[in-house]
Amino acid sequence: MATDSTFDVLNAVLSAEPISVDQAIAAVESDTAGAVVSFSGVVRNHDGGKPVRRLSYSAHPTAHQVMADVVAQLVAEQAAGTDAAGPGSGPGSGPAQPVRIWVAHRIGMLEIGDPALVCAVSAAHRGQAFAVCSELVDRVKAQVPIWKEQFFTDGTVEWVGAGE
């Protein structure tokens, strides 16, 4: 669904400090937003049938720039699609409505229940907020060079994402 929108990237970082969905939502909320969609990917206590004790995330030295580039590319694609007719577009529809984006991925040691990837998107309409948030999460997971080291309760360790 295309709408007349501007895009405001409030945060697109890797963080050694804790992140939260509440912090992301608070950052993107605005009087123009009819929808705020968020995602919080948290550390779970199992993977592949094995109990997990904790995780550690490592990032390639270019990961900070890749994160910024991933968000910029998504914004460019979304902005390019705003010229098509759709709700909120056309003559007399008023000023462009901002789409506000906040995304962060943790690096370092995380415990069960800690948020590892948090994203929030606000927009005038829910369809756009859901679409941008979902696509952003997918792209960050697929493109940003971050690797997960899983520490299992039986003492074994497994790397995920390395060599992909």
Side-chain angles (χ1 to χ4, degrees):
M1 169 174 64
T3 60
D4 284 338
S5 301
T6 60
F7 291 83
D8 189 5
V9 178
L10 304 171
N11 194 59
V13 300
L14 304 183
S15 176
E17 299 301 318
I19 56 177
S20 77
V21 73
D22 290 340
Q23 138 189 53
I25 289 170
V28 301
E29 288 179 320
S30 76
D31 291 343
T32 61
V36 176
V37 172
S38 63
F39 171 82
S40 181
V42 298
V43 177
R44 63 182 179 266
N45 69 356
H46 64 91
D47 189 48
K50 293 177 69 174
V52 172
R53 181 178 315 276
R54 67 183 180 277
L55 302 178
S56 179
Y57 285 96
S58 301
H60 189 274
T62 64
H64 295 277
Q65 186 59 52
V66 173
M67 173 74 92
D69 293 346
V70 164
V71 176
Q73 180 65 36
L74 178 60
V75 165
E77 291 169 13
Q78 291 286 318
T82 61
D83 294 334
S89 65
S93 63
Q97 299 301 309
V99 174
R100 297 164 56 95
I101 297 169
W102 193 104
V103 62
H105 199 299
R106 281 290 307 275
I107 52 175
M109 193 66 70
L110 281 76
E111 300 297 326
I112 304 305
D114 286 346
L117 172 58
V118 171
C119 177
V121 176
S122 67
H125 302 284
R126 71 180 179 275
Q128 187 176 30
F130 273 114
V132 171
C133 189
S134 178
E135 184 65 20
L136 183 54
V137 168
D138 288 347
R139 290 186 189 197
V140 167
K141 289 185 68 64
Q143 297 176 31
V144 179
I146 298 171
W147 303 282
K148 175 172 63 174
E149 186 178 13
Q150 299 188 111
F151 297 87
F152 295 103
T153 59
D154 66 5
T156 60
V157 176
E158 174 184 74
W159 282 92
V160 179
E164 290 180 6

